[in-house]
Amino acid sequence: MQTHSSRISGFHNLPMADRLAKLVDISGLTPDAAEHLANTGNLEAAIADSMIENAIGTMNIPLGVATNMIVDGRDVLIPMATEESSVVAAVCNAARQCRDSGGFVTSMSGSLMIAQIQLTQVPDPEFARLRILEQKAQIQQVCDDTDPVLLKHGGGFRDLEVRVLNEARGGAMVVTHLIVDTRDAMGANAVNSMAEAVAPLIAQWTGGRPYLRILSNLADRRLARARATWTLDAIGGEAVRDGIISAYEFAHIDPYRAATHNKGIMNGVSAVVLASGNDTRAVEAGAHAYAARSGQYRSLTHFEVDRDGNLVGTIEMPLAVGLVGGATKSHPTAQVVLDILGVDSADQLARVFAAVGLAQNFSALKALATTGIQKGHMALHAKNIAVMAGAVGAEIEAVARELIARGKVRVDIAEECLQQMRA
Ligand code: NAD
């Protein structure tokens, strides 16, 4: 193994090409590897360099388009950025099976974000709480003055909450929530700036010491909802329906299952969030925290039987995403993705994302409750295995087909197929 020092003084000051050259030099990369990294594809090097620190290249992920989706009566094509083979197909399948019953109906609780200000060393926390609440008008003024552009777009401060939290080592901290409408922005920077502006005032009013001033990713005032109906004819009968409901029940009562259940939902949601240039980690954190809000980690979706015996599914989850801010405007692919989605507000965007999460979950549960996940998964995964075995060009498809025909999607078998083909 190559050893070298990771201490590279002034690395971040170098132009991107020089940074890459330095990396190649230090880590002994081959000229081919260097050339590979230097090709930034359709994300210009200058843009990549302006997005993060120490950029040396870009990482391409396939962008697929899920078909068949109807959201609130509108046909929508869903661009999804993902490295996992079965994700796009799952959305297409679920959406096809509920098209005749109208597709997905969605709604949103609002576009409110919460910024937290942590105040410690307060001798009289309950007294302090009321003193802060009394200053709502001034707090509103300070918040709104922080972001006049947001105000112009109809957003701004909406409400104030102050909580007293008991610390494990005794004492209490006073936590102020600024509730801010961030409209078409995810709003992290917007509300973080507000929290930083308000904190010194809170310290002055209470004599406490402010520490953390940052948004909460548990965006439970920004819940996106989607529902859909799958008829028995569309899904293949009662046994399939009951299998899906039983799978859902399993996730509702068992965190071990719920983690995988919700991971499947996020397969879909994170892929569209990423494609749109939004923050996948923010959405993931919000989703999982919301799933645990009862004290037990549970499913983000629900499945039931309606009065006609159909399968009905619902999802409700925090979805703090934007059309402006972050990489949504700076990443050229994200801009094209937003054009394909054809949405004109963050509200619509989040609602489509929720529908994608529900679609993804339906397909996963259906596969699990019937043929098992591996059949569909492996058919798509076979191409990855073929590539792993060294297949190139037309060989990939041919090897994948052979693996599926043999019912053994394994890299050793792929190597064997490849050798035979080449011979
Ligand atoms: P931003 O600050 O880049 O853009 C938002 C700003 O755009 C608003 O504050 C407003 O001034 C302006 N704006 C213009 N048109 C608007 C409209 N129609 N509606 C609303 N605002 C409009 O971005 P942001 O949304 O405040 O923050 C998102 C970024 O913050 C993401 O990149 C995210 O990764 C990052 N971030 C996330 C966290 C976290 O999730 N914990 C923490 C810090 C930063």
Side-chain angles (χ1 to χ4, degrees), residues 65-69 74-79 337 340-342 352:
V65 171
T67 54
N68 303 332
M69 287 284 287
R74 187 173 71 93
D75 274 86
V76 195
L77 292 167
I78 313 286
V337 162
I340 297 170
L341 285 166
V352 170

Side-chain angles (χ1 to χ4, degrees), residues 69-142:
M69 287 284 287
I70 300 176
V71 181
D72 299 317
R74 187 173 71 93
D75 274 86
V76 195
L77 292 167
I78 313 286
M80 305 177 76
T82 180
E83 86 300 343
E84 193 172 345
S85 50
S86 56
V87 167
V88 179
V91 173
C92 299
N93 287 334
R96 183 176 39 76
Q97 291 170 65
C98 67
R99 264 186 90 79
D100 288 345
S101 28
F104 298 83
V105 178
T106 68
S107 62
M108 188 93 197
S109 70
S111 46
L112 299 177
M113 295 298 286
I114 300 168
Q116 300 191 292
I117 303 168
Q118 178 201 25
L119 196 69
T120 62
Q121 298 167 25
V122 193
D124 47 359
E126 293 297 341
F127 198 78
R129 178 174 169 271
L130 296 204
R131 291 202 66 166
I132 300 167
L133 285 170
E134 285 158 21
Q135 300 296 333
K136 185 170 167 183
Q138 192 177 343
I139 290 175
Q140 165 150 19
Q141 190 67 52
V142 172

Side-chain angles (χ1 to χ4, degrees), residues 130-180:
L130 296 204
R131 291 202 66 166
I132 300 167
L133 285 170
E134 285 158 21
Q135 300 296 333
K136 185 170 167 183
Q138 192 177 343
I139 290 175
Q140 165 150 19
Q141 190 67 52
V142 172
C143 288
D144 288 346
D145 286 350
T146 308
D147 198 336
V149 180
L150 180 60
L151 217 62
K152 200 181 90 200
H153 286 278
F157 176 92
R158 290 290 181 271
D159 208 354
L160 184 67
E161 242 175 26
V162 186
R163 301 152 66 218
V164 175
L165 303 182
N166 293 321
E167 294 175 36
R169 55 187 171 170
M173 62 178 79
V174 178
V175 178
T176 302
H177 284 186
L178 307 175
I179 296 158
V180 181

Side-chain angles (χ1 to χ4, degrees), residues 147 149-150 153 182-190 215 217 279 282 325-326:
D147 198 336
V149 180
L150 180 60
H153 286 278
T182 61
R183 309 300 283 182
D184 286 330
M186 181 265 191
N189 292 311
L215 89 159
N217 285 110
D279 183 335

Side-chain angles (χ1 to χ4, degrees), residues 30 44 59 113 162:
T30 63
E44 231 180 89
M59 168 84 188
M113 295 298 286
V162 186

Side-chain angles (χ1 to χ4, degrees), residues 320-344:
V321 290
L323 289 182
V324 296
T328 56
K329 283 263 189 258
S330 55
H331 198 300
T333 309
Q335 281 293 296
V336 179
V337 162
L338 292 173
D339 284 347
I340 297 170
L341 285 166
V343 294
D344 44 38

